[in-house]
């Protein structure tokens, strides 16, 4: 359970780079009905699960856009693992996530009546990405309390930078992408691990590909855009 929770927090930070609103960023179109499917692979290239994202509601209040994204995760046999929604808001050039709603109901149920507190700093993606550019750090923290015992889990995304531009082909098409590098450090009790990561972002689409590595550089897992529908 600990490993799953840590990996989910890493995924949580990665999801943030997938989605934003047209009037806030040129990289991530968001209108009701837009749907994306991502296939997740293990280090050997075998399918582990498939995640589907769909924009189900978008509203505008003043200068802020609020949106709801529905997520469905299926295992490699097509069996549902969980369904959940999460909310985000977009103001100016920044996207703000409702971190608590990103945690799936199934995961929360496993913690029973524990008190859970979630906080974090948003991932920021500027409109004017350039190769060599450094980006602000981000993090998410989850504090769990039970019978006077506290357990903290955190993921810090640091050393973020735009490495290069390159073309990427997936089952959904061929895209020109910026490659963003980061180091994701997960902390849980006495465990402290670093997972370097690269995300391929395409203008008007969002995340096209992601790779997560062990500290020594070996591939640990990957994610690829396999379907995109406006």
């Amino acid at each position: 359970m600990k490993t799953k929770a840590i990996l989910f927090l890493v995924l949580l930070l990665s999801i943030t780079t997938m989605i934003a609103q047209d009037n806030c960023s040129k990289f991530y179109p968001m209108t009701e009905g837009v749907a994306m499917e991502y296939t997740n692979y293990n280090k050997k290239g075998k399918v582990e699960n498939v995640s589907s994202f769909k924009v189900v509601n978008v509203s505008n209040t003043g200068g802020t856009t609020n949106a709801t994204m529905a997520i469905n995760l299926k295992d490699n046999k097509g069996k549902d693992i969980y369904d959940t929604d999460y909310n985000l808001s977009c103001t100016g050039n920044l996207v703000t996530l409702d971190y608590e709603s990103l945690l799936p109901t199934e995961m929360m149920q496993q913690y029973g009546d524990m008190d859970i507190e979630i906080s974090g700093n948003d991932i920021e993606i500027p409109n004017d990405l350039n190769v060599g550019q450094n980006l602000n750090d981000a993090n998410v923290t989850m504090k769990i309390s039970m019978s006077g015992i506290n357990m903290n889990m955190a993921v810090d995304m640091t050393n973020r930078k735009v490495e290069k531009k390159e073309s990427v082909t997936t089952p959904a098409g061929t895209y020109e992408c910026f490659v963003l590098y980061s180091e994701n450090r997960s902390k849980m009790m006495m465990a402290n691990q670093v997972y370097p990561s690269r995300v391929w972002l395409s203008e008007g689409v969002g995340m096209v590909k992601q790779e997560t590595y062990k500290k020594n550089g070996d591939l640990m897992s990957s994610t690829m855009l396999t379907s995109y529908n406006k």
Side-chain angles (χ1 to χ4, degrees):
M1 182 60 199
K2 291 180 180 179
T3 301
K4 289 183 179 179
I6 290 172
L7 291 177
F8 187 84
L9 289 176
V10 173
L11 177 60
L12 183 155
L13 283 175
S14 300
I15 287 174
T16 316
T17 65
M18 297 179 188
I19 302 151
Q21 171 65 28
D22 274 343
N23 60 8
C24 295
S25 173
K26 66 183 181 182
F27 287 97
Y28 318 98
M30 176 174 282
T31 54
E32 290 184 19
V34 170
M36 296 159 284
E37 178 189 86
Y38 292 91
T39 301
N40 306 302
Y41 305 89
N42 63 20
K43 62 182 180 181
K44 295 182 179 181
K46 294 183 178 180
V47 176
E48 286 200 325
N49 50 64
V50 176
S51 51
S52 299
F53 298 79
K54 186 174 183 179
V55 184
V56 294
N57 184 61
V58 178
S59 62
N60 293 279
T61 304
T64 300
T65 299
N66 298 293
T68 301
M69 178 72 66
I71 306 174
N72 171 261
L73 182 67
K74 298 181 184 295
D75 64 19
N76 56 5
K77 296 181 180 179
K79 181 180 179 180
D80 286 334
I81 299 176
Y82 69 77
D83 291 281
T84 190
D85 293 338
Y86 78 84
N87 305 312
L88 61 151
S89 61
C90 183
T91 304
N93 195 37
L94 297 177
V95 176
T96 302
L97 284 166
D98 177 353
Y99 284 105
E100 187 170 354
S101 66
L102 271 167
L103 296 173
T105 302
E106 179 184 87
M107 180 178 175
M108 301 301 287
Q109 289 176 343
Q110 293 189 46
Y111 288 112
D113 296 326
M114 300 180 191
D115 293 326
I116 300 176
E117 179 182 343
I118 303 162
S119 60
N121 293 324
D122 301 332
I123 294 178
E124 298 178 0
I125 303 290
N127 287 325
D128 54 345
L129 290 181
N130 296 290
V131 175
Q133 182 177 3
N134 293 318
L135 304 175
N136 291 337
D137 294 345
N139 67 75
V140 61
T141 300
M142 192 163 112
K143 298 181 179 180
I144 304 170
S145 300
M146 180 184 66
S147 303
I149 300 175
N150 297 321
M151 180 173 65
N152 296 331
M153 290 183 289
V155 174
D156 296 316
M157 181 179 280
T158 63
N159 195 22
R160 299 179 64 223
K161 57 188 176 183
V162 184
E163 281 191 327
K164 57 185 176 180
K165 291 186 69 176
E166 67 180 19
S167 178
V168 175
T169 298
T170 79
T174 298
Y175 305 93
E176 291 298 320
C177 300
F178 283 98
V179 182
L180 275 59
Y181 172 85
S182 65
E183 293 175 356
N184 305 303
R185 183 180 299 276
S186 67
K187 306 173 186 176
M188 185 172 181
M189 300 181 71
M190 300 301 293
N192 192 335
Q193 296 179 309
V194 177
Y195 303 102
S197 177
R198 286 184 174 85
V199 174
W200 283 254
L201 296 178
S202 179
E203 184 174 335
V205 177
M207 192 183 87
V208 172
K209 179 181 174 182
Q210 180 192 18
E211 291 184 345
T212 301
Y213 314 93
K214 295 181 181 179
K215 190 176 181 178
N216 63 6
D218 290 344
L219 182 66
M220 187 169 68
S221 64
S222 62
T223 299
M224 187 173 293
L225 178 68
T226 45
S227 178
Y228 181 83
N229 296 294
K230 294 184 178 180

